[in-house]
Amino acid sequence: MRCAVRPLSPGSHVLNRTTMPIRETFWNIPRWAEYANYLLGLLSFLILIYGLWRRTRVWLRGRPAMRSDRVAQRIGGMISDGFVQLRTLSQPLPGLMHKGIFLGIVFLFVGTVLATLDWDITRLLFDVRFLQGVIYVTYKLVLDIAGLLLLLGVAVAAYRRYVARPKRLVNALSSTYTRDDAYALAVLATIAVTGFMIEGLRLAVVQPWWAVWSPIGNLVAHAFVSLGEQTNRTLHLSIWMFHMLIVFGAIAAIPYTKFVHIFTSPVNIFFRNLNPPGALEPIRNIEEAETFGAGKIEDWTWKRLLDFDACTRCGRCQDACPAYATNKPLSPQNIIVKLGGYLWQTPLATGKKDAALRSMHGEVITADELWDCTTCAACVQACPVYIDQMGAIIEMRRYLTMSEGDVSRNLNMAMTGMEQNGNPYGLSRNQRADWAQGLGVKTMAEAGGNVDILYWVGCAAAYDDRNKRVARAFVKILQAANVNFAILGTEETCTGDSARRAGNEYLFQMLAQENIATLNGYGVKRIVTACPHCFHTIRDEYPQFGGNYEVLHHSQLIAELLAQGRLSLSKPLDSGSVTYHDPCYLGRHNNVYQPSRQIIRRATGRAAIEMARNHAHSFCCGAGGARNWMEENRGTRINQNRAAEAIATGAATLAVACPFCMGMLTDGLKAKAAEG
């Protein structure tokens, strides 16, 4: 049985408990205002669609990019990080703040949709009202909670932005976006407050028995009930009209304000890079390419342009960046924010040529910013909307290196060594296997390729004296476990990791193709290496050129041999307490964290002492991204920052699993010791 709310007579304001709760759509609203509501709603929706189409049209002017694979995985990510917002919640205070705002908006939007269906669809077509009875009072309670969450979220956001003012909320274009940020908070607060006032004024007049199911609205009603019915009706209509204008104005303005991330964030998450974060996109048909990397805005793919537009300016990438933490010019947030602002000044967006347009290189983004990147991928991992800051930096490095030849002297020497001698040290290829003398190690040529696993030595272990000792020790471990292995010897050449990160894609592809031809020629299936950079390059990037192998880091193989009982320790090592540094290219890039810790526990009888920043949040040593071959002459040294963190644990030994990390952190510890 359906029951409508009885009209109130003057002086009679309380509906008795026999009256069924039902939504009073357009209560106190004249017919002309109803029509205005529908017309403004349609107009705001059309403006919204036009604005989103305009932005999408600009993105699609970028170069092609393949992002339509693995649709189910993409949808899953959009749900987990776009709607559930797991990445956003990884930082509790800002995460909960944003979650409150998000849930408030979503539930209020859903509530509006349900009200529209109830009044304009089911009532008109089927003479049915579903927002009544228990459903209606539950609906009102949920919407009151949603409005409260929205207000609390906005209050926390305002406190962080204008009182706490964390450094990460300041970026290169903060002055440009100051009004936009203030507008977003003001609009959300106004919508929530006026919504509660409209509800409270209606309850103050009608006074239904179910008002308790609207706790916030009921509280507001108590503040207005003494004003009398006529005053409250007048206030209700005035605030309702103001609320309508604010809501529809905000909807129409979405594509032109910070609110655009309501759409760009889930879209960018859907089209995110599903490959390992450090697996860079190759330049296809490089011999025929007319341009290398990104020298101007037209060189970016449509996905990169979407990245620039999707940035929410939260600053998480900046907080995670080791270059920024050590007072260098680079801020990954500024890279994306500046490119995003620049995009809308270019002919790609305006359709007009501007002779005064700034150059993307030098004027918008400086070379120092690009060369400070260690490619640790901390920024990529931190971004809640999956922007690839690191990939954008490498694209611009490619232009500097391959089109402009703008590289430092030391880096150029390292790349010359790779090209001429197959290693960045510039030493003879004939010396590559000298470290193994006296160990009885066979080469693949000597073994006829008939081995279970290939030990990929890497340049550091082949030429650097300290890392040679690591290689010799690892060989003894393999021999003790009766592993059937061999090395390539002088047939091995640099994987090209540093060349690729430095932007020299041509040299990288040349080295990669040479190595892949050698490996495939021997029919190699399984590879082990002690270098995370070699591990990552062979495992994650060589498949781009036909090199598909099972690749293990030496910590994984040692842990496997210990677990199988093929290795045993007669007694624990007397090394004292140990802390462990997670290499970026083993951890963040490839999600390998536990084997080294398992080995430390087995070898010492105790767990490693964790540094404050560990596992996925480990802090870079400073050597990645070809930085190992460049001078660090801006800001403070990254390796000393990390060394200080290791010292703070009080551990007697610092364990590493990367030749670059070993060199950088050894130097860092020496520098901190010299400081006293």
Side-chain angles (χ1 to χ4, degrees):
M1 175 179 176
R2 294 174 59 247
C3 181
V5 176
R6 295 180 303 166
L8 292 173
S9 58
S12 175
H13 303 298
V14 181
L15 299 181
N16 63 51
R17 287 188 172 271
T18 64
T19 306
M20 179 182 291
I22 191 168
R23 176 174 171 78
E24 302 165 88
T25 306
F26 291 123
W27 177 86
N28 194 47
I29 306 302
R31 188 59 56 87
W32 64 266
E34 288 186 38
Y35 294 152
N37 176 74
Y38 289 115
L39 287 173
L40 285 175
L42 177 61
L43 180 61
S44 66
F45 180 75
L46 292 175
I47 295 173
L48 168 67
I49 295 300
Y50 169 76
L52 293 177
W53 170 79
R54 178 174 172 267
R55 296 190 93 96
T56 304
R57 183 182 58 179
V58 172
W59 305 334
L60 294 179
R61 287 173 180 163
R63 293 189 169 189
M66 173 61 182
R67 293 299 172 92
S68 58
D69 59 328
R70 292 174 273 183
V71 174
Q73 187 177 350
R74 294 186 181 281
I75 293 174
M78 188 168 64
I79 293 171
S80 64
D81 288 306
F83 299 107
V84 181
Q85 301 185 348
L86 294 180
R87 271 203 179 187
T88 302
L89 290 169
S90 64
Q91 296 184 9
L93 179 60
L96 290 173
M97 171 204 77
H98 191 274
K99 191 68 174 180
I101 294 174
F102 174 78
L103 288 177
I105 292 173
V106 167
F107 277 100
L108 291 174
F109 173 75
V110 171
T112 302
V113 171
L114 290 175
T116 302
L117 290 173
D118 176 70
W119 184 254
D120 295 320
I121 305 298
T122 62
R123 180 184 68 91
L124 294 178
L125 297 181
F126 309 107
D127 194 29
V128 172
R129 300 287 305 280
F130 60 84
L131 288 181
Q132 60 179 328
V134 174
I135 294 176
Y136 176 61
V137 294
T138 304
Y139 166 89
K140 292 302 295 179
L141 177 61
V142 170
L143 292 193
D144 262 36
I145 294 172
L148 182 60
L149 283 175
L150 176 58
L151 270 180
L152 290 174
V154 169
V156 174
Y159 172 81
R160 291 187 74 243
R161 183 164 293 279
Y162 301 112
V163 180
R165 303 180 70 180
K167 196 174 181 181
R168 77 186 200 188
L169 293 182
V170 179
N171 58 66
L173 298 183
S174 286
S175 58
T176 302
Y177 292 120
T178 297
R179 290 183 180 179
D180 190 28
D181 294 330
Y183 162 83
L185 294 177
V187 163
L188 292 176
T190 301
I191 289 173
V193 169
T194 55
F196 281 130
M197 291 182 70
I198 292 167
E199 181 183 44
L201 287 163
R202 177 177 58 81
L203 294 178
V205 173
V206 178
Q207 298 183 33
W209 64 264
W210 59 82
V212 292
W213 289 90
S214 300
I216 310 300
N218 196 33
L219 190 64
V220 174
H222 280 81
F224 286 99
V225 70
S226 62
L227 296 180
E229 179 176 340
Q230 191 55 48
T231 300
N232 283 335
R233 283 179 176 272
T234 302
L235 283 173
H236 174 272
L237 177 58
S238 300
I239 295 173
W240 183 90
M241 293 177 65
F242 177 68
H243 179 83
M244 175 184 68
L245 292 173
I246 290 292
V247 169
F248 289 141
I251 291 172
I254 282 174
Y256 313 97
T257 65
K258 190 171 187 174
F259 289 133
V260 73
H261 80 272
I262 295 171
F263 292 94
T264 57
S265 293
V267 170
N268 205 54
I269 292 170
F270 178 84
F271 289 116
R272 69 197 183 281
N273 178 19
L274 296 181
N275 297 319
L280 302 176
E281 290 289 330
I283 298 177
R284 305 290 181 185
N285 302 315
I286 195 168
E287 296 283 358
E288 302 172 10
E290 297 180 359
T291 59
F292 303 106
K296 55 187 184 301
I297 201 73
E298 291 81 5
D299 292 333
W300 297 108
T301 66
W302 66 264
K303 178 55 177 65
R304 295 282 185 210
L305 298 180
L306 172 57
D307 269 359
F308 304 153
D309 223 19
C311 180
T312 63
R313 308 191 297 275
C314 68
R316 292 187 182 208
C317 58
Q318 179 175 287
D319 259 7
C321 178
Y324 184 83
T326 51
N327 303 311
K328 294 175 175 59
L330 172 63
S331 158
Q333 176 183 210
N334 283 341
I335 294 287
I336 300 302
V337 166
K338 288 192 291 186
L339 288 172
Y342 181 67
L343 167 63
W344 292 98
Q345 300 169 6
T346 65
L348 209 63
T350 65
K352 302 175 183 177
K353 290 187 177 181
D354 184 357
L357 184 68
R358 295 172 299 158
S359 170
M360 189 170 75
H361 278 274
E363 293 183 287
V364 178
I365 307 296
T366 67
D368 284 351
E369 290 176 274
L370 300 176
W371 290 119
D372 280 339
C373 179
T374 66
T375 66
C376 68
C379 56
V380 179
Q381 178 186 265
C383 181
V385 297
Y386 287 82
I387 292 169
D388 183 11
Q389 303 91 335
M390 183 184 72
I393 289 171
I394 297 300
E395 285 295 328
M396 296 189 75
R397 278 189 181 183
R398 284 175 174 174
Y399 175 80
L400 289 179
T401 300
M402 301 178 69
S403 296
E404 298 293 320
D406 183 11
V407 296
S408 69
R409 179 176 177 273
N410 287 351
L411 178 56
N412 190 56
M413 288 175 61
M415 290 193 291
T416 300
M418 294 179 218
E419 183 176 2
Q420 296 180 354
N421 298 296
N423 67 84
Y425 302 96
L427 299 174
S428 171
R429 288 178 183 267
N430 295 329
Q431 300 175 29
R432 195 168 190 103
D434 289 357
W435 64 271
Q437 289 179 2
L439 291 176
V441 178
K442 290 183 178 180
T443 64
M444 289 294 284
E446 292 168 341
N450 185 27
V451 296
D452 295 330
I453 193 165
L454 168 72
Y455 171 29
W456 185 276
V457 180
C459 299
Y463 293 103
D464 175 74
D465 286 340
R466 187 173 182 188
N467 277 288
K468 287 179 184 178
R469 299 203 300 271
V470 174
R472 292 179 67 87
F474 183 53
V475 163
K476 292 176 182 178
I477 289 173
L478 295 177
Q479 291 171 336
N482 293 316
V483 175
N484 181 21
F485 74 99
I487 63 173
L488 285 174
T490 56
E491 290 186 274
E492 181 182 296
T493 194
C494 182
T495 61
D497 161 76
S498 290
R500 191 171 221 195
R501 270 82 206 155
N504 195 338
E505 179 71 6
Y506 187 88
L507 176 57
F508 165 74
Q509 291 194 19
M510 182 183 76
L511 295 169
Q513 288 164 3
E514 180 182 344
N515 281 324
I516 291 168
T518 302
L519 294 169
N520 289 350
Y522 283 115
V524 171
K525 302 297 182 185
R526 203 169 191 232
I527 298 172
V528 63
T529 180
C531 175
H533 294 262
C534 297
F535 169 79
H536 169 79
T537 303
I538 299 172
R539 178 180 184 266
D540 297 330
E541 296 185 325
Y542 276 17
Q544 297 170 354
F545 306 96
N548 296 285
Y549 320 102
E550 179 190 357
V551 187
L552 299 175
H553 185 255
H554 77 310
S555 62
Q556 292 175 298
L557 183 57
I558 293 172
E560 179 184 302
L561 295 173
L562 285 168
Q564 293 172 350
R566 295 173 65 182
L567 279 179
S568 60
L569 297 171
S570 57
K571 61 179 181 178
L573 295 176
D574 185 18
S575 59
S577 55
V578 177
T579 188
Y580 173 66
H581 165 78
D582 288 285
C584 302
Y585 274 77
L586 189 62
R588 259 190 304 274
H589 284 275
N590 286 286
N591 202 34
V592 177
Y593 296 106
Q594 296 310 316
S596 293
R597 289 174 169 82
Q598 293 166 358
I599 294 168
I600 290 170
R601 179 178 284 277
R602 289 288 297 271
T604 66
R606 66 182 80 176
I609 300 173
E610 297 291 357
M611 286 187 250
R613 294 171 290 191
N614 59 74
H615 287 78
H617 301 290
S618 179
F619 193 74
C620 184
C621 75
R627 289 294 319 172
N628 196 58
W629 317 109
M630 292 181 262
E631 291 295 329
E632 189 174 356
N633 48 24
R634 291 180 289 275
T636 56
R637 297 187 70 86
I638 294 172
N639 61 341
Q640 293 180 24
N641 184 299
R642 184 58 164 170
E645 192 172 359
I647 292 169
T649 66
T653 302
L654 169 58
V656 298
C658 170
F660 288 174
C661 295
M662 183 163 67
M664 295 297 283
L665 294 178
T666 297
D667 290 345
L669 291 171
K670 288 178 180 177
K672 300 308 290 186
E675 291 176 4

